[in-house]
Amino acid sequence: MKPILLFAALSAAMPVAASATPSETPRPEQIDIVDAIECRLDAPVYNGFALALNGEEKIADERGWVPIRNKNFLMNEYELPAPIVVAGHYSTRRIAFTSSGVLAILDLADPALLAREQGIANAVDPNPMIEATIASGKATPREIEAATRSRKFLGEKILVDRTELPAPGESFGARTVIGRNVSNVTTHLGKTLYGCSYRIELIDEHGKPF
């Protein structure tokens, strides 16, 4: 998982949340996967956990997570030994790690249902395409129905957007963005992806990314 390694390396140079002392910072093996999915971690803590999944700590193996092969090379998927509950009342045994975060894979065909509960809007509006298909008069009722059902959903609610400029004598600072995500993807038809992204970007003294 090279992208996760990159984020972990960046986070190693960044301080943990100002309110936490070293004794309060949880070790990777102490992290609850639900806390990671629900955006309850600071970005360096999450990245340390993601790095340890298949590192020396072998957290995934120790917890009995079974790797699942899928057609999406951007997702490292696992089956858990027992169900977890996320977003209040959705149960699943499938999770997936991406380059910047972790997702629960839910048996929910329409992401909009969960998104409404979370106050998350769809950044990819399919209505213009559907309306154009109907207006053309060339599509069959079955094609129109398929277009309506296969709507793409991609939404995020930003929970943390923190910029830390370089301290005196340092060459870089960081911008940390933590966001709750709801989406779907064609490799997992009939599923809703719900989780959290933890992004760290190195910035210069002007707040510009390197």
Side-chain angles (χ1 to χ4, degrees):
M1 296 188 291
K2 293 182 180 179
I4 289 179
L5 292 175
L6 173 60
F7 276 91
L10 294 178
S11 67
M14 296 296 103
V16 182
S19 59
T21 66
S23 62
E24 296 172 334
T25 302
R27 297 190 301 274
E29 62 270 20
Q30 296 175 312
I31 298 298
D32 187 329
I33 187 60
V34 174
D35 287 339
I37 292 170
E38 297 287 6
C39 297
R40 296 174 186 152
L41 307 178
D42 199 12
V45 173
Y46 168 78
N47 284 329
F49 168 67
L51 179 61
L53 287 178
N54 296 294
E56 293 182 2
E57 297 88 343
K58 302 284 185 189
I59 289 177
D61 289 342
E62 290 292 329
R63 297 188 181 187
W65 295 359
V66 179
I68 302 297
R69 298 184 66 178
N70 63 50
K71 297 179 181 179
N72 192 325
F73 69 93
L74 298 176
M75 294 168 55
N76 292 321
E77 187 174 340
Y78 294 91
E79 182 173 2
L80 308 181
I84 58 173
V85 176
V86 298
H89 57 97
Y90 294 93
S91 177
T92 186
R93 289 180 59 191
R94 291 289 182 92
I95 62 172
F97 289 84
T98 67
S99 63
S100 60
V102 59
L103 304 163
I105 302 175
L106 308 177
D107 288 323
L108 181 65
D110 186 0
L113 300 175
L114 173 56
R116 281 195 293 269
E117 296 173 4
Q118 296 293 322
I120 296 176
N122 188 3
V124 183
D125 184 5
N127 288 323
M129 180 189 69
I130 294 172
E131 291 171 359
T133 300
I134 295 173
S136 70
K138 298 178 181 180
T140 67
R142 179 175 294 181
E143 289 171 337
I144 294 173
E145 181 182 4
T148 302
R149 288 182 176 178
S150 60
R151 294 186 177 189
K152 174 63 181 174
F153 196 101
L154 182 63
E156 180 179 48
K157 178 193 289 184
I158 300 300
L159 304 178
V160 174
D161 190 342
R162 182 175 65 242
T163 297
E164 298 171 274
L165 294 175
E170 295 184 351
S171 57
F172 62 86
R175 182 188 178 195
T176 300
V177 179
I178 300 175
R180 178 166 293 136
N181 310 119
V182 175
S183 64
N184 59 10
V185 63
T186 56
T187 55
H188 291 66
L189 294 176
K191 308 291 185 182
T192 290
L193 309 180
Y194 168 84
C196 191
S197 61
Y198 299 83
R199 303 188 293 272
I200 299 176
E201 182 178 52
L202 296 183
I203 58 174
D204 62 20
E205 67 274 15
H206 304 294
K208 302 293 186 181
F210 280 102

